[in-house]
Amino acid sequence: MAKKRKKEPCILIIDACRVTREETYEMLESEWSDEIVTAENAKEGIELFIKFAHNLKAVIIDLNLPDMTLATVLKKIKSENVTPEIIVLTNENDIPAAVQAMKLGVYDILKRPVFKAELLFSIGKVFELDHIIEKLKSYLEDNKELVLEIRLEEFRKIMQERRRIGNPLTHREIALFFPPPGERSNVSL
């Protein structure tokens, strides 16, 4: 019978090496034991990611999985339209691989052997960032009128400047500031 989870997983560990996967789990289990799920290859990791994507905050992944490249795994993760932070583990002192991983948008790269304090620090920063983002979303939701007021003021300034230079805003540009209901604005304040 499968162990019943108390909470949904928020950390996914993908590592082909059983020993490394277990060591990584053990480093995190005192804080998040019921919230960690592990996979032994990229295929299984992606399946678990899709299953728990709505709740995952961090994915810890081996740089060199045997069944899929890091770039391919990250592309599949990003296609799910959720944004957990990616922490890459590597055995290598491979600067080009690290640079490529950073270009792919990973949050952190940790060289093995990974020290518990180093991993806990990195994961702690992920949860801190997530907390800040949630607070910001809550603030924006609670202060919709203020946000709209700020957006209107910015819009007025841009509109006045564009009129001054003889280049009024197009309907498309106006829609960026004030999208139809249900759509997100591409303009950030």
Side-chain angles (χ1 to χ4, degrees):
M1 185 172 177
K3 179 182 168 186
K4 185 165 172 119
R5 293 188 174 281
K6 292 179 188 170
K7 298 180 179 179
E8 286 282 301
C10 60
I11 300 170
L12 170 60
I13 301 168
I14 307 172
D15 201 314
C17 176
R18 182 185 54 79
V19 173
T20 306
R21 196 171 56 249
E22 288 174 1
E23 286 174 352
T24 305
Y25 178 89
E26 287 169 6
M27 286 186 222
L28 299 172
E29 79 175 323
S30 64
E31 294 286 326
W32 298 286
S33 64
D34 288 335
E35 300 170 89
I36 302 169
V37 65
T38 64
E40 65 182 52
N41 58 51
K43 184 180 183 292
E44 180 185 1
I46 290 168
E47 289 170 1
L48 288 170
F49 179 84
I50 291 167
K51 181 176 180 181
F52 298 112
H54 64 281
N55 199 54
L56 288 173
K57 308 293 183 228
V59 177
I60 302 168
I61 186 170
D62 182 9
L63 178 65
N64 294 308
L65 291 167
D67 62 329
M68 208 175 289
T69 67
L70 179 65
T72 304
V73 174
L74 294 180
K75 184 177 180 182
K76 290 180 184 273
I77 285 173
K78 288 177 182 181
S79 73
E80 292 297 313
N81 293 323
V82 290
T83 55
E85 299 299 340
I86 309 296
I87 298 170
V88 174
L89 304 179
T90 181
N91 289 326
E92 302 166 15
N93 225 353
D94 187 356
I95 301 298
V99 169
Q100 181 62 27
M102 293 307 266
K103 285 180 180 178
L104 293 170
V106 303
Y107 178 77
D108 203 357
I109 299 174
L110 304 176
K111 187 178 180 300
R112 291 189 184 113
V114 176
F115 297 102
K116 183 176 182 175
E118 184 181 31
L119 183 60
L120 289 175
F121 180 79
S122 188
I123 289 287
K125 288 293 184 187
V126 166
F127 281 89
E128 187 178 310
L129 179 63
D130 185 65
H131 179 70
I132 290 168
I133 290 168
E134 290 303 316
K135 277 188 142 187
L136 180 59
K137 285 179 182 176
S138 175
Y139 176 80
L140 292 173
E141 185 65 31
D142 293 346
N143 294 287
K144 283 182 178 178
E145 288 179 21
L146 177 62
V147 171
L148 182 58
E149 215 173 283
I150 293 169
R151 188 170 289 266
L152 281 168
E153 184 57 34
E154 288 296 311
F155 177 73
R156 282 187 199 108
K157 287 178 185 175
I158 291 169
M159 203 166 86
Q160 287 171 351
E161 178 60 20
R162 293 286 291 272
R163 280 188 189 145
R164 187 185 70 73
I165 63 172
N167 186 10
L169 290 172
T170 65
H171 291 290
R172 178 179 241 167
E173 290 170 318
I174 293 169
L176 290 173
F177 277 91
F178 304 102
E183 291 184 26
R184 295 181 97 180
S185 172
N186 293 331
V187 177
S188 54
L189 301 173

